[in-house]
């Protein structure tokens, strides 16, 4: 069963009302600086395991806030009964001629996994990306061992466009491959293959 969600545009950002697979109401909204107190335990739990994100396992709270709140263009949270259980950021992947492509990161609290909320957030982040003028989304460094995420991204239309042999140092499995995953979000593309842009750069500039 897929999550039921509804998009509405409010003050140039999308706010989502939905229910998870168990019928629990979920609200996805823009994050505020005050939300980081609730984001931090999710961040710390995931990053300290060292098996998905390429952040130091001992990343401090201050550095985590800079990475998740300060640097990104936007950050969102998902709440169940007023409790933040999922979060994502969206930022420009490269400057200059690459600034039409965005990058996202997602984190789900342990209690919220398997409910379909991550899928809804990825769908939501693509809508936000389009609203902000991006025409593609790229995940730069997906550990091949993170099979759940790889399957989900592929289900949502992302393709593996590059493999970095042994680039991710997994704490239990050692050197494993990392994937570059990519999805074109625009209506048209003069690309011969995913990731190769041959269109008019002026036409594709973010708003």
């Amino acid at each position: 069963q897929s999550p039921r969600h509804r998009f509405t545009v409010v003050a140039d950002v999308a706010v989502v009302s939905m229910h998870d697979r168990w019928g629990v109401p979920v609200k996805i909204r823009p994050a505020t600086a005050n939300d980081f107190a609730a984001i931090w335990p999710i961040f710390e739990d995931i990053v300290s395991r060292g098996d998905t994100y390429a952040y130091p396992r001992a990343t401090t709270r201050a550095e985590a806030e800079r990475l998740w709140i300060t640097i990104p263009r936007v950050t969102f949270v998902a709440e169940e009964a007023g409790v933040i259980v999922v979060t994502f950021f969206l930022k420009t992947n490269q400057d200059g001629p690459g600034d039409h492509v965005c990058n996202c990161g997602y984190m789900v609290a342990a209690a919220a996994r398997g409910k379909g909320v991550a899928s809804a957030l990825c769908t939501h982040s693509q809508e936000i990306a389009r609203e902000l003028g991006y025409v593609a989304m790229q995940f730069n460094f997906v550990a091949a061992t993170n099979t759940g995420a790889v399957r989900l991204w592929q289900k949502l239309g992302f393709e593996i466009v590059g493999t970095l042999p042994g680039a991710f140092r997994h704490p239990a499995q050692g050197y494993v491959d990392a994937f570059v995953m990519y999805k074109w979000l625009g209506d048209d593309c003069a690309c011969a293959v995913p990731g190769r842009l041959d269109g008019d750069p002026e036409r594709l500039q973010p708003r």
Side-chain angles (χ1 to χ4, degrees), residues 94-133:
Q94 299 289 342
D95 292 330
D99 64 5
H100 57 285
V101 180
C102 66
N103 168 252
C104 286
Y106 310 85
M107 290 189 175
V108 183
R113 291 168 197 160
K115 295 183 175 182
V117 184
S119 177
L121 252 71
C122 186
T123 300
H124 178 65
S125 67
Q126 293 174 58
E127 294 295 328
I128 294 295
R130 292 185 182 100
E131 288 290 323
L132 294 174

Side-chain angles (χ1 to χ4, degrees), residues 142-155 160 179 181:
V142 182
T145 48
N146 192 2
T147 54
V150 173
R151 282 195 303 268
L152 176 59
W153 306 151
Q154 290 178 319
K155 179 181 178 181
I160 296 173
F179 297 142
M181 303 189 72

